[in-house]
């Protein structure tokens, strides 16, 4: 932390290199530099991978203001847009409109086509199925030899099974699309590998859409296929929307299950709270705190100003890029006192782990229920669960991956 | 307490239903907010204020 402080102390100090490195001894916390930045000013400049210096919004209140301001655009085809990485910068001009890059009326139109399967009540209705899948995966884990990698045994298969069921993607193909979904989002893959993964996934989903145009079933892909037939979507647009759902449904909940378990094993008194309660409200509250604490969309939300915007004493000019650093906002002591303290009883519902504003996560209610079920089942069923390797041996993902996480989590009991 | 919702702004995040299911629901076909009770009683006031506070699209307005 002191190094970053020194840098920021000088008036013409070097601009902060976003996202900044995490502390190896405290890999669950957002990079120290981001937190220092937040102490100094909730809106400042940062340098990203391509050398450009967009605005960094680290304060919780400032994030709410920016992410709900209609003068702020998500249109990533505009020059000056702060892309998260090279692959996305190169791909952006060729992408159709999606929920990620559309604004205003376009965004509402696309989002409304996608929201139907994700309502709170539909997700609640899936809870028994999520519980059944979770129990089956844990049964399988317990009957086999230990140690096991929790990522393979539970973290990835559970969200994968659920998103496949919702979309209507045959789970038998999971080896294929899990690999490609993770390639497409991991920064340790080359641009070429990511592109190839995107193409393979796209081809696969376009094929499924074409089949369902002729033989519809009860699922999201059939719903999109019907919209293609009705002229509401083109095949490339529908393919992209399916790909977004498939990828987003995989890595996000999986990372939360893995990271959350590693964090809880380091905080046994907090884990005990989950093990000992049977109150769904206590579990639901704990999930919000874990979401706040871990904030896996570490790259943040990317935007560009449409007009000049005055905020926190600075003027963001029209055409300037904006990076909303979600992990820093969720560790803003103004919003969450003693943010470094994991407190599963904390009131944390106003966190930004699912972002904020019109682009807030579409699948958040599914994610919540998956996490509530896993966290309230795993530690009760395996009370002796523990790491099978030293904590120092865990390989955390790089901070420029779309979802922060751990590559493998070897556990035993 | 009077509750006003703006369907145009709503992005169907479902946060209001989670916060106050006696007062808010979602339309079946697209998840857009449905106001079940525009004058909720005082026993629901905290939940409704919470629902307005967690609505990411600022689609819920409360007149006290």
């Amino acid at each position: 932390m002191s190094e970053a402080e020194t840098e920021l102390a000088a008036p013409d100090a070097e601009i902060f290199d976003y996202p900044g490195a995490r502390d190896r001894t405290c890999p669950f916390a957002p990079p120290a530099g981001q937190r220092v930045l937040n102490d100094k000013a909730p809106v400042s400049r940062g340098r990203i991978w391509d050398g450009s210096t967009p605005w960094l919004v680290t304060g919780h209140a400032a994030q709410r203001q920016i992410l709900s301001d209609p003068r702020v655009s998500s249109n990533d085809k505009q020059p000056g847009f702060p892309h998260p990485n090279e692959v996305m910068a190169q791909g952006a001009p060729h992408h159709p409109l999606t929920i990620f890059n559309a604004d205003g009326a376009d965004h509402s139109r696309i989002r409304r086509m996608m929201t139907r399967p994700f309502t709170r009540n539909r997700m609640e209705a899936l809870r028994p199925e999520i519980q059944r899948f979770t129990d089956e995966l844990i049964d399988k884990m317990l009957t086999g030899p230990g140690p096991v990698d929790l990522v393979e045994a539970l973290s990835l298969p559970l969200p994968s099974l659920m998103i496949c069921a919702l979309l209507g993607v045959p789970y038998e193909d999971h080896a294929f699309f899990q690999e490609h979904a993770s390639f497409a989002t991991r920064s340790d893959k080359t641009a070429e590998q990511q592109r190839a993964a995107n193409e393979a996934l796209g081809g696969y989903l376009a094929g499924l859409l074409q089949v369902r145009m002729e033989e519809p079933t009860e699922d999201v892909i059939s719903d999109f296929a019907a919209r293609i037939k009705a002229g509401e979507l083109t095949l490339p647009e529908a393919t992209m929307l399916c790909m977004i759902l498939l990828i987003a449904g995989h890595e996000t909940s999986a990372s939360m299950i893995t990271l959350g378990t590693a964090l809880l094993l380091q905080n046994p008194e907090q884990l005990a709270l989950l093990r000992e309660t049977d109150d769904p409200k206590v579990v639901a509250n704990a999930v919000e705190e874990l979401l706040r604490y871990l904030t896996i969309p570490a790259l943040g939300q990317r935007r560009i100003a449409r007009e000049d915007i005055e905020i926190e004493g600075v003027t963001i000019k029209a055409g300037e890029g904006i990076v909303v650093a979600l992990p820093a906002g969720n560790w803003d002591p103004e919003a969450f006192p003693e943010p470094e303290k994991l407190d599963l009883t904390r009131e944390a519902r106003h966190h930004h782990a699912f972002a904020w504003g019109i682009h807030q996560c579409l699948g958040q209610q599914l994610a919540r229920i998956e996490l509530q079920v896993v966290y309230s089942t795993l530690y009760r069923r395996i009370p002796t669960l523990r790491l099978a390797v030293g904590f120092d041996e865990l390989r955390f993902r790089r901070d420029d991956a779309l979802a922060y996480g751990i590559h493998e989590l070897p556990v035993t009991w | 307490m009077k509750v006003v919702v703006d369907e145009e702004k709503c992005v169907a995040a479902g946060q209001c239903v989670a916060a106050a299911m006696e007062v808010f629901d979602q339309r079946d076909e697209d998840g857009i907010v449905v106001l079940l009770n525009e004058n909720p009683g005082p026993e629901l006031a905290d939940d409704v204020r919470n629902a307005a506070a967690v609505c990411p699209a600022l689609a819920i307005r409360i007149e006290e």
Side-chain angles (χ1 to χ4, degrees):
Chain A
M1 188 178 279
S2 57
E3 197 177 291
E5 254 169 355
T6 318
E7 276 179 18
L8 287 163
D12 296 306
E14 268 186 54
I15 293 175
F16 176 72
D17 275 321
Y18 183 82
R22 295 215 186 209
D23 181 347
R24 191 66 191 85
T25 60
C26 185
F28 301 112
Q34 283 185 36
R35 283 177 283 144
V36 171
L37 219 53
N38 204 10
D39 293 343
K40 307 271 176 189
V43 181
S44 60
R45 289 276 189 175
R47 182 178 291 105
I48 60 171
W49 64 277
D50 62 355
S52 65
T53 54
W55 292 97
L56 284 186
V57 184
T58 51
H60 185 269
Q63 292 188 351
R64 291 217 147 181
Q65 199 180 325
I66 282 292
L67 290 173
S68 46
D69 191 323
R71 295 171 298 176
V72 172
S73 168
S74 295
N75 179 353
D76 59 7
K77 297 179 200 304
Q78 296 175 74
F81 190 91
H83 295 282
N85 56 47
E86 193 185 352
V87 179
M88 290 170 102
Q90 288 170 353
H94 313 293
H95 291 161
L97 275 181
T98 69
I99 46 168
F100 293 135
N101 62 14
D103 294 325
D106 281 331
H107 174 264
S108 298
R109 178 178 59 85
I110 301 168
R111 181 146 177 145
R112 279 170 198 202
M113 287 186 202
M114 301 175 79
T115 43
R116 192 169 77 94
F118 293 99
T119 61
R120 171 86 184 171
N121 290 340
R122 282 202 177 84
M123 293 302 104
E124 268 305 328
L126 288 181
R127 191 184 286 269
E129 198 174 344
I130 296 172
Q131 184 71 56
R132 184 169 58 81
F133 280 143
T134 303
D135 280 320
E136 284 172 6
L137 290 165
I138 294 172
D139 286 342
K140 203 171 147 201
M141 222 170 111
L142 287 172
T143 51
V148 300
D149 173 12
L150 193 77
V151 176
E152 268 184 43
L154 179 64
S155 308
L156 201 48
L158 177 67
S160 189
L161 279 159
M162 292 316 300
I163 200 69
C164 285
L166 270 172
L167 286 176
V169 169
Y171 186 72
E172 306 86 83
D173 298 337
H174 70 101
F176 164 80
F177 55 70
Q178 277 173 0
E179 180 183 314
H180 288 89
S182 71
F183 265 49
T185 55
R186 276 186 197 172
S187 59
D188 54 354
K189 304 297 172 192
T190 65
E192 200 43 57
Q193 283 174 312
Q194 291 190 351
R195 234 187 319 271
N198 279 326
E199 277 168 22
L201 266 186
Y204 173 79
L205 291 166
L208 275 180
L209 279 161
Q210 281 163 321
V211 170
R212 300 288 160 74
M213 280 168 72
E214 303 312 317
E215 297 161 32
T217 42
E218 275 291 307
D219 48 53
V220 173
I221 291 187
S222 299
D223 192 24
F224 286 153
R227 289 181 193 274
I228 298 172
K229 282 182 105 169
E232 293 173 44
L233 280 175
T234 64
L235 179 62
E237 284 169 344
T239 303
M240 187 60 111
L241 300 182
C242 290
M243 196 143 93
I244 287 171
L245 292 175
L246 185 63
I247 292 176
H250 266 93
E251 294 288 325
T252 47
S253 298
S255 273
M256 273 303 298
I257 294 169
T258 311
L259 265 181
T261 299
L263 173 66
L264 287 164
L265 290 173
Q266 294 297 101
N267 290 271
E269 73 298 338
Q270 293 293 311
L271 189 146
L273 190 142
L274 277 169
R275 194 188 287 133
E276 285 154 20
T277 189
D278 51 11
D279 182 344
K281 280 193 177 151
V282 173
V283 175
N285 198 73
V287 166
E288 301 305 318
E289 168 68 348
L290 286 160
L291 285 162
R292 175 196 77 81
Y293 200 91
L294 295 168
T295 321
I296 57 159
L299 273 176
Q301 296 276 292
R302 307 299 169 123
R303 299 288 188 270
I304 188 164
R306 232 199 278 274
E307 298 171 29
D308 290 2
I309 297 166
E310 302 284 331
I311 180 168
E312 300 285 355
V314 302
T315 304
I316 299 178
K317 295 214 171 69
E320 288 184 330
I322 304 168
V323 176
V324 181
L326 301 174
N330 279 345
W331 281 55
D332 178 352
E334 293 282 323
F336 304 100
E338 296 184 84
E340 68 290 346
K341 197 171 147 194
L342 177 71
D343 174 6
L344 299 187
T345 64
R346 182 198 294 268
E347 169 51 63
R349 267 194 78 88
H350 53 302
H351 66 71
H352 293 167
F354 294 117
W356 181 252
I358 61 168
H359 292 278
Q360 196 180 46
C361 176
L362 184 72
Q364 60 181 289
Q365 305 304 347
L366 174 60
R368 282 197 166 94
I369 296 173
E370 287 173 350
L371 297 176
Q372 288 166 10
V373 169
V374 169
Y375 294 146
S376 67
T377 306
L378 180 61
Y379 319 122
R380 295 180 83 169
R381 289 209 48 201
I382 317 182
T384 56
L385 189 79
R386 63 184 191 275
L387 287 183
V389 295
F391 185 77
D392 290 344
E393 292 170 59
L394 296 180
R395 294 194 306 127
F396 286 81
R397 280 197 203 160
R398 273 173 32 184
D399 230 335
D400 51 356
L402 276 188
Y404 185 60
I406 306 176
H407 290 287
E408 306 92 18
L409 190 71
V411 290
T412 192
W413 50 88
Chain B
M1 172 183 271
K2 184 170 190 293
V3 185
V4 181
V5 297
D6 185 338
E7 286 188 17
E8 287 303 308
K9 282 188 177 173
C10 175
V11 292
Q15 297 269 57
C16 57
V17 185
M21 63 195 319
E22 300 86 350
V23 179
F24 303 99
D25 199 355
Q26 286 176 281
R27 205 156 65 194
D28 211 36
E29 63 268 31
D30 56 10
I32 297 304
V33 61
V34 174
L35 186 58
L36 301 174
N37 178 358
E38 65 177 38
N39 295 111
E43 73 287 0
L44 294 170
D46 282 350
D47 288 349
V48 173
R49 279 189 211 106
N50 192 17
V54 294
C55 172
L58 309 177
I60 299 170
R61 193 158 50 83
I62 296 170
E63 292 165 9
E64 299 275 355

